Amino acid sequence: MFIDKSLKQYALDTKSSDPTPGGGSVSAYVGTLSSALTSMVGGLTFSKKNYSELSEDVRTKMESNAKELEQLFEDLANDVDKDTNAFDKVMEAFKMPKDTDEEKKSRSQAIQEGYKVALEVPLKCAEKCHRVLELQDVFARYGNVNAVTDIGVGILLAYSGLEGALLNVTINLGSIKDEEYKQVISQKVSRLLSSAKDLKEKSLAIVYERLNG
């Protein structure tokens, strides 16, 4: 499993001519780092004396968000390896026999289903990165000011993970013939990307305001 390898080995595996790990796996790993950095900012905030001076609502939200980030960390870490296997069903389908009309039909259907499976993993990864972006707001606003650059990097990573994952969704979507399905997924991709840009810009504005204040 790639997630269990050293940082250097994962980078070397990515650098090699082997197609895995590729952009989808790296996007998931970037999302994992984003959630990790945000959790770190939480830890550096909860341990400070002035944390008790924050309002109860803020403390409750921050602690709740921190718990959810722990789960997202695990989920995104799992996606690092899930993405490397996401295209397997497509490859298996291409190896199916195509001598008869029936075999050609079955093969074509299997390929189409394979592409749908292939895009589900990066789509879910993008949704998780979007959720990380949503959870980061309270840390950007009220997190330990000495760690404000860390939450800033976390925000950038969450957005990069999301957009990278959506690139993989889009390329697989181009091979799908079901126009209704393509429209539904395309609309979801557009909504996620638009919302993520908005979340990123708003949170980064807060980071820069605190950084320069």
Side-chain angles (χ1 to χ4, degrees):
M1 295 177 69
F2 288 116
I3 195 61
D4 294 325
K5 294 187 176 183
S6 69
L7 289 172
K8 185 173 183 179
Q9 188 57 55
Y10 183 76
L12 287 171
D13 288 343
T14 304
K15 177 176 173 286
S16 75
S17 58
D18 195 302
T20 58
S25 176
V26 171
S27 294
Y29 187 59
V30 165
T32 307
L33 291 176
S34 173
S35 63
L37 269 175
T38 310
S39 292
M40 184 192 79
V41 174
L44 292 172
T45 304
F46 302 144
S47 62
K48 295 301 179 182
K49 185 178 179 180
N50 59 3
Y51 176 64
S52 61
E53 297 173 5
L54 295 172
S55 71
E56 184 178 352
D57 286 347
V58 170
R59 283 185 281 119
T60 298
K61 183 176 183 182
M62 194 174 284
E63 290 166 18
S64 175
N65 286 14
K67 288 181 181 178
E68 190 171 348
L69 282 163
E70 291 291 337
Q71 185 60 55
L72 284 164
F73 173 87
E74 295 296 335
D75 291 345
L76 284 162
N78 288 332
D79 285 345
V80 171
D81 285 298
K82 278 184 181 178
D83 188 86
T84 62
N85 301 320
F87 207 67
D88 286 353
K89 288 192 177 297
V90 178
M91 299 307 296
E92 290 170 7
F94 272 113
K95 294 176 183 176
M96 291 174 64
K98 50 180 179 178
D99 297 323
T100 66
D101 288 342
E102 188 62 34
E103 287 177 342
K104 288 177 182 177
K105 183 179 178 180
S106 296
R107 179 176 178 273
S108 179
Q109 289 175 343
I111 290 171
Q112 288 299 301
E113 287 305 310
Y115 277 119
K116 289 181 180 180
V117 171
L119 70 77
E120 283 175 4
V121 173
L123 181 58
K124 288 177 181 176
C125 175
E127 291 171 338
K128 292 164 194 170
C129 288
H130 185 274
R131 184 56 183 158
V132 173
L133 281 166
E134 291 178 321
L135 296 171
Q136 287 170 328
D137 174 79
V138 69
F139 296 97
R141 291 180 186 276
Y142 304 106
N144 189 328
V145 69
N146 295 316
V148 69
T149 54
D150 297 300
I151 190 65
V153 173
I155 292 162
L156 291 169
L157 290 176
Y159 181 79
S160 295
L162 178 142
E163 187 163 12
L166 291 180
L167 286 174
N168 281 273
V169 173
T170 302
I171 194 170
N172 284 306
L173 200 59
S175 298
I176 292 176
K177 298 175 183 179
D178 184 339
E179 292 300 326
E180 184 177 350
Y181 177 85
K182 288 178 71 171
Q183 185 176 4
V184 170
I185 300 300
S186 293
Q187 289 174 349
K188 184 175 286 189
V189 167
S190 295
R191 287 196 301 269
L192 279 170
L193 195 55
S194 176
S195 177
K197 285 180 179 178
D198 187 52
L199 288 166
K200 178 194 70 171
E201 290 170 5
K202 287 180 178 178
S203 291
L204 281 179
I206 295 165
V207 168
Y208 278 109
E209 183 180 343
R210 296 186 72 198
L211 186 61
N212 298 318

